[in-house]
Amino acid sequence: MGEILVLVDHVDGAVRKPTLELLTLARRIGEPSAVFLGKGADAATETLGRYGAQKVYVVDAAEVDDYLVVPKADALAQIAESASPAAILVPSSADGREIGARVAVRLGSGLITDAVDVVAGENGPETEQSVFAATYQVRAHVTKGTPIITVKPNAATPEEAPATPAVEAVSVTFSAAATGTKIVATAAREKSDRPELTEADIVVSGGRGVNGAENFVVIERVADALGAAVGASRAAVDAGWYPHSHQVGQTGTQVSPQLYIAAGISGAIQHRAGMQTSKTIVAVNKDEDAPIFDLVDYGVVGDLFKVMPQLEEEINKR
Ligand code: FAD
């Protein structure tokens, strides 16, 4: 297969982990080229090359920094129109999904969102997705135009494959809609030593069983012992025990870590929709009939206030 465009997710040139995962997946199906939009390309190029980008397209225009997603979609579509890539991979963030959809409309292409795996198939890239609140795993490929695929974080482990990328500055003609919605302020990200929920290799989540904001320390201590992010069910968030930004599920964040530990969470379909694609799932619940046990790899029937401290102690011994 030919060139695979990877849209870079970055903060002022600091490349975020999902992009490294996309470059790793892109190498499975073709030759990755990175598309860097905004400021900081110099800082990012070395990292992108280290993970196998053969080329970096750079659009350093005020529009992509100052306005919402339309200028980014314009830039990616324009690069795709001139490069004619074999596929385009985009991170499955809220922005990424919108950019993917806009580019698909512009190119008249098929779009697959929220893939958890991408492999080379007989008819182009083949993806795996989990649909209908994770009830089914579906394999799919795009049948029309350039395949555009948004990929969920943790779909692959980033692997280095050092290359020295050629850098091409691209000048974009923006559409009339590009400057329709201006960014007036950006809230600073919550400062934490823990990894971000969507990017973490391990997530430890607490639910109604945690029974109070003050008890979430039990969840946090296991998370810190494992270097994990902390998640929460909607019941715990609605009760005000943990911030909404940590909610996992259909109306929260969707995560797909290597390991997901659910403590005091029953396993409602809306929670499963946010974590069912995790590679290994462990649950601690005092009710042996809790639905969460239907999907776990390892289940512990017990009181989380006994089990979690023991787990923390054992991890800290190693
Ligand atoms: P519960 O269902 O009350 O379960 C608590 C569990 O803790 C029980 O299984 C109990 O046995 C166990 N437990 C209690 N004490 C202990 C103890 N000491 N030790 C061990 N186990 C114990 N939910 C989400 O999580 N995310 C979403 O994004 C989401 N979106 C939704 C969207 C819609 C439109 C709707 C209608 C609902 C949504 N929900 C979502 C809510 C969802 O339906 C459930 O109500 C919610 O997930 C339940 O949270 P829970 O498992 O923490 O609580």
Side-chain angles (χ1 to χ4, degrees):
M1 219 180 275
E3 184 177 19
I4 311 294
L5 296 185
V6 169
L7 181 64
V8 177
D9 185 8
H10 69 97
V11 180
D12 298 330
V15 179
R16 299 180 70 207
K17 186 168 151 254
T19 302
L20 311 181
E21 296 163 8
L22 260 54
L23 288 169
T24 304
L25 288 172
R27 287 208 311 277
R28 285 192 200 159
I29 56 173
E31 293 217 331
S33 289
V35 175
F36 186 97
L37 309 177
K39 303 218 174 318
D42 288 349
T45 301
E46 192 271 328
T47 309
L48 298 170
R50 187 148 35 92
Y51 285 85
Q54 304 289 321
K55 191 168 184 179
V56 181
Y57 296 96
V58 178
V59 178
D60 184 359
E63 285 86 343
V64 296
D65 288 320
D66 295 347
Y67 294 86
L68 289 181
V69 295
V70 183
K72 297 188 181 74
D74 282 351
L76 181 57
Q78 209 164 299
I79 292 167
E81 275 161 354
S82 67
S84 302
I88 303 174
L89 304 185
V90 178
S92 256
S93 57
D95 280 5
R97 280 191 292 267
E98 185 174 341
I99 292 168
R102 286 178 180 275
V103 173
V105 170
R106 171 101 164 245
L107 301 183
S109 290
L111 169 76
I112 294 174
T113 54
D114 289 343
V116 292
D117 198 12
V118 184
V119 294
E122 275 177 26
N123 303 297
E126 212 168 274
T127 65
E128 192 168 314
Q129 279 169 290
S130 132
V131 300
F132 292 133
T135 312
Y136 299 102
Q137 292 292 111
V138 172
R139 292 196 81 84
H141 69 92
V142 166
T143 56
K144 187 163 176 267
T146 307
I148 301 172
I149 302 164
T150 81
V151 184
K152 281 174 84 166
N154 286 312
T157 304
E159 285 165 18
E160 295 190 12
T164 309
V167 177
E168 183 178 325
V170 180
S171 143
V172 174
T173 309
F174 292 103
S175 63
T179 53
T181 38
K182 192 167 198 308
I183 298 168
V184 288
T186 307
R189 283 166 190 261
E190 185 189 332
K191 284 215 174 2
S192 167
D193 291 336
R194 298 191 183 104
E196 264 192 60
L197 196 52
T198 49
E199 295 182 13
D201 288 332
I202 306 175
V203 174
V204 184
S205 288
R208 203 193 307 269
V210 174
N211 199 25
E214 66 285 4
N215 298 335
F216 248 84
V217 66
V218 175
I219 305 296
E220 291 179 332
R221 289 180 67 128
V222 173
D224 291 342
L226 290 166
V230 175
S233 73
R234 179 159 159 183
V237 167
D238 283 354
W241 301 341
Y242 224 69
H244 177 260
S245 54
H246 293 256
Q247 182 179 314
V248 171
Q250 186 181 318
T251 43
T253 300
Q254 300 195 355
V255 299
S256 204
Q258 297 296 325
L259 172 63
Y260 187 86
I261 303 178
I265 293 177
S266 61
I269 184 106
Q270 296 90 352
H271 188 80
R272 294 163 68 138
M275 45 65 77
Q276 185 154 328
T277 52
S278 305
K279 311 292 179 293
T280 301
I281 299 172
V282 176
V284 180
N285 197 303
K286 67 180 184 185
D287 174 7
E288 64 178 34
D289 295 324
I292 191 98
F293 287 130
D294 294 343
L295 74 148
V296 297
D297 297 284
Y298 302 96
V300 182
V301 179
D303 183 346
L304 72 90
F305 294 105
K306 290 196 180 124
V307 176
M308 296 301 270
Q310 282 173 19
L311 179 59
E312 182 200 340
E313 199 182 314
E314 284 303 317
I315 295 162
N316 285 335
K317 274 188 204 162
R318 290 164 196 232

